[in-house]
Amino acid sequence: MSAENGTPGAPAGSPPPTGPRPEPIRFFGTTWVDHGNGYAARRAAVSAGSLVLAAASCLVLRVAYQGLRLADVGGLVELLMVVMFAVCGALAFRHTWAGFTSRPDPERQASLRGLLAIGFIGSLLAYFCRSLTEAPGEKLHRAEYERARARHDKRTTRRSGSPTRKRRRS
């Protein structure tokens, strides 16, 4: 990325490009466009970090479960807690995974906020799994960026031929 104009892959001193700019991805910025500027190291760090956070979160949940056992709340409450975290974790994993390939609906996202907070381990595991192959959300961002570039290029290409013979749109 150029220090002067902030565009990926642009040499220093070049004029800023026209048209759409790539949308930054959390932890990766716009390095996903050309896989430069430490992209592989960032992917490894994100992958390892999300796995470490998931493991640490499991330890915190284990302490909470042991607290319930010490409080002697009963087997039903313990079972409900385990099932709740398992179901919420699975739903959070699926929702996070689906968010890497399509834009989530903001209203649905707001309504699922509590469930996703409870199932945060599932989200961390989805982030870990996706970062093994690409920056999480890279495929979606790349497709959107390529479509925007194609639309821009189509709009800005010059016509060949005489402009006086240009057919008028009806």
Side-chain angles (χ1 to χ4, degrees):
M1 187 159 9
S2 169
E4 289 180 15
N5 60 21
T7 57
S14 66
T18 60
R21 297 181 190 260
E23 185 178 343
I25 296 177
R26 183 184 305 152
F27 305 123
F28 293 92
T30 56
T31 61
W32 60 268
V33 175
D34 59 1
H35 291 188
N37 200 14
Y39 172 81
R42 289 177 191 219
R43 259 192 41 215
V46 165
S47 183
S50 59
L51 188 61
V52 166
L53 283 173
S57 300
C58 287
L59 290 175
V60 169
L61 287 180
R62 172 100 172 124
V63 169
Y65 179 76
Q66 287 176 342
L68 283 177
R69 295 209 61 185
L70 285 175
D72 197 28
V73 293
L76 180 63
V77 174
E78 292 174 11
L79 178 67
L80 286 175
M81 184 182 135
V82 169
V83 169
M84 174 193 64
F85 275 105
V87 168
C88 290
L91 291 173
F93 181 93
R94 187 189 178 302
H95 181 76
T96 304
W97 191 266
F100 295 144
T101 56
S102 64
R103 295 279 179 180
D105 178 30
E107 291 178 14
R108 185 169 186 263
Q109 184 83 8
S111 67
L112 292 176
R113 186 167 289 134
L115 181 129
L116 295 175
I118 293 170
F120 63 99
I121 293 175
S123 292
L124 288 170
L125 291 176
Y127 217 76
F128 166 73
C129 291
R130 182 59 91 170
S131 63
L132 291 175
T133 58
E134 67 176 8
E138 177 181 345
K139 189 175 187 180
L140 171 66
H141 284 78
R142 187 171 302 284
E144 290 175 348
Y145 179 61
E146 294 299 326
R147 279 194 305 269
R149 290 292 308 170
R151 278 193 312 269
H152 175 73
D153 291 345
K154 187 176 179 181
R155 274 194 325 262
T156 58
T157 54
R158 302 280 182 218
R159 283 182 41 94
S160 62
S162 174
T164 58
R165 294 187 311 190
K166 181 178 165 183
R167 222 174 62 187
R168 299 289 176 189
R169 293 184 188 176
S170 49

